[in-house]
């Protein structure tokens, strides 16, 4: 079993992680965001990918999601956890909170969102009733409970286009649609993993209240402060998830 983790470069700061190398790949869909970092923890093979590149330079709507996921498949990834900074909409989704969403709504547009697009012998549809693999979600939630890490089990992730943040009216619409979280990278990442039959789940780290939910303007200083705590807990959660799978 090989777990792939997609997120920021800081996610390789897992305690006891042994980095074993890097791999640069070219896929039928072009180059991934960055070289894949290979590692091992407690006998578990891990692959890390910096979604926005290393250094962080690729905006959400320009990420080559197809190359990223295809490359993970090439490297033998058997499950994927996507870690993402998000805005909080629901009352339970305050800054620095971690949520493990169970549903999503896609508001993005113009992205290459399927491997089944050109030169097809037949049209392919995937079942996406549950966009996040239930068994992988449960393992993350159970690992959090065992490690004493507080997470919100559930919620709806709304994926917007970016790179700008949303307006108050847009967030009101999303709230009316049932969204609890707002991010910019959750799709088509989740759907592409499903197309390649790789189990996928999301760890959302709330960086700020979404527009109109909190008071005043959203600042990068506020986001960075909340992410220090939230991402630290996310790294601990990833370690706990790996150890729970390996019996460590």
């Amino acid at each position: 079993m090989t777990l792939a983790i997609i997120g920021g470069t800081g996610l390789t700061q897992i305690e006891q992680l042994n980095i074993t190398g890097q791999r640069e790949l070219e896929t039928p869909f072009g180059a991934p965001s960055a070289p894949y970092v290979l590692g091992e923890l407690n006998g578990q093979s891990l692959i890390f990918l910096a979604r926005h590149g290393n250094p962080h330079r690729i905006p959400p709507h320009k990420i080559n999601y197809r190359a990223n996921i295809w490359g993970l498949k090439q490297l033998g990834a058997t499950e994927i956890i996507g870690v993402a900074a998000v805005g909080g909409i629901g009352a339970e989704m305050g800054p620095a909170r971690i949520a493990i969403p169970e549903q999503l709504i896609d508001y993005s547009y113009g992205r290459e969102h399927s491997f089944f697009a050109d030169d097809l012998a037949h049209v392919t549809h995937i079942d996406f009733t549950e966009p996040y693999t239930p068994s992988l979600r449960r393992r993350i939630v159970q690992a959090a409970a065992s490690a004493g890490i507080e997470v919100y089990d559930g919620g709806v992730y709304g994926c917007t286009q970016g790179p700008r943040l949303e307006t108050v009216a847009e967030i009101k619409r999303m709230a009316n649609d049932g969204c609890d979280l707002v991010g910019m990278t959750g799709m088509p990442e989740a759907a592409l993993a499903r197309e390649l039959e790789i189990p996928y789940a999301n760890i959302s780290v709330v960086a700020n209240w979404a527009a109109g939910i909190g008071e005043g303007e959203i600042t990068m200083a506020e986001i960075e402060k909340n992410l220090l705590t939230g991402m630290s807990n996310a790294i601990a959660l990833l370690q706990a998830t790996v150890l729970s799978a390996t019996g460590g």
Side-chain angles (χ1 to χ4, degrees):
M1 185 171 69
T2 299
L3 172 64
I5 299 169
I6 306 175
T9 55
L11 296 180
T12 56
Q13 297 171 3
I14 295 176
E15 288 183 21
Q16 303 167 3
L17 172 68
N18 177 33
I19 300 293
T20 58
Q22 283 195 155
R23 286 286 301 276
E24 292 192 37
L25 293 180
E26 189 68 27
T27 78
F29 304 97
S33 294
Y36 296 92
V37 177
L38 311 180
E40 186 271 338
L41 174 65
N42 203 46
Q44 165 81 65
S45 295
L46 301 175
I47 307 170
F48 295 88
L49 177 64
R51 186 187 284 116
H52 293 276
N54 185 15
H56 186 115
R57 68 187 187 283
I58 308 172
H61 65 300
K62 292 291 188 179
I63 292 169
N64 192 338
Y65 294 95
R66 294 196 298 180
N68 287 351
I69 300 299
W70 190 272
L72 289 175
K73 182 76 169 181
Q74 279 185 250
L75 291 173
T78 54
E79 48 190 15
I80 299 171
I81 296 176
V83 181
V86 300
I89 299 175
E92 299 286 340
M93 304 302 179
R97 190 82 192 269
I98 292 178
I100 317 299
E102 60 183 344
Q103 278 295 328
L104 65 80
I105 300 175
D106 188 10
Y107 300 93
S108 68
Y109 52 87
R111 303 180 181 190
E112 294 289 351
H113 62 275
S114 176
F115 294 114
F116 304 115
D118 302 303
D119 302 320
L120 302 178
H122 57 84
V123 176
T124 300
H125 302 282
I126 57 167
D127 176 74
F128 210 47
T129 305
E130 295 185 88
Y132 304 113
T133 305
S135 58
L136 183 53
R137 278 195 72 257
R138 282 195 301 272
R139 200 165 88 230
I140 296 169
V141 171
Q142 290 166 359
S146 297
I149 301 169
E150 184 180 353
V151 302
Y152 185 88
D153 178 9
V156 178
Y157 177 115
C159 183
T160 58
Q161 180 71 353
R164 67 169 178 82
L165 299 178
E166 300 73 31
T167 68
V168 171
E170 287 169 332
I171 293 300
K172 285 181 178 178
R173 181 186 72 159
M174 294 179 73
N176 289 336
D177 287 347
C179 294
D180 300 290
L181 304 161
V182 54
M184 300 176 187
T185 59
M187 283 291 286
E189 196 170 275
L192 292 168
R194 181 63 52 85
E195 287 188 347
L196 294 186
E197 300 182 339
I198 307 174
Y200 178 95
N202 174 277
I203 294 176
S204 285
V205 180
V206 181
N208 55 276
W209 287 114
I213 305 296
E215 296 182 2
E217 293 185 358
I218 300 168
T219 67
M220 289 308 300
E222 173 195 1
I223 288 173
E224 289 168 4
K225 173 186 170 185
N226 293 325
L227 285 180
L228 278 177
T229 300
M231 284 300 177
S232 175
N233 290 335
I235 289 169
L237 176 54
L238 288 170
Q239 179 172 356
T241 301
V242 172
L243 294 178
S244 71
T246 60

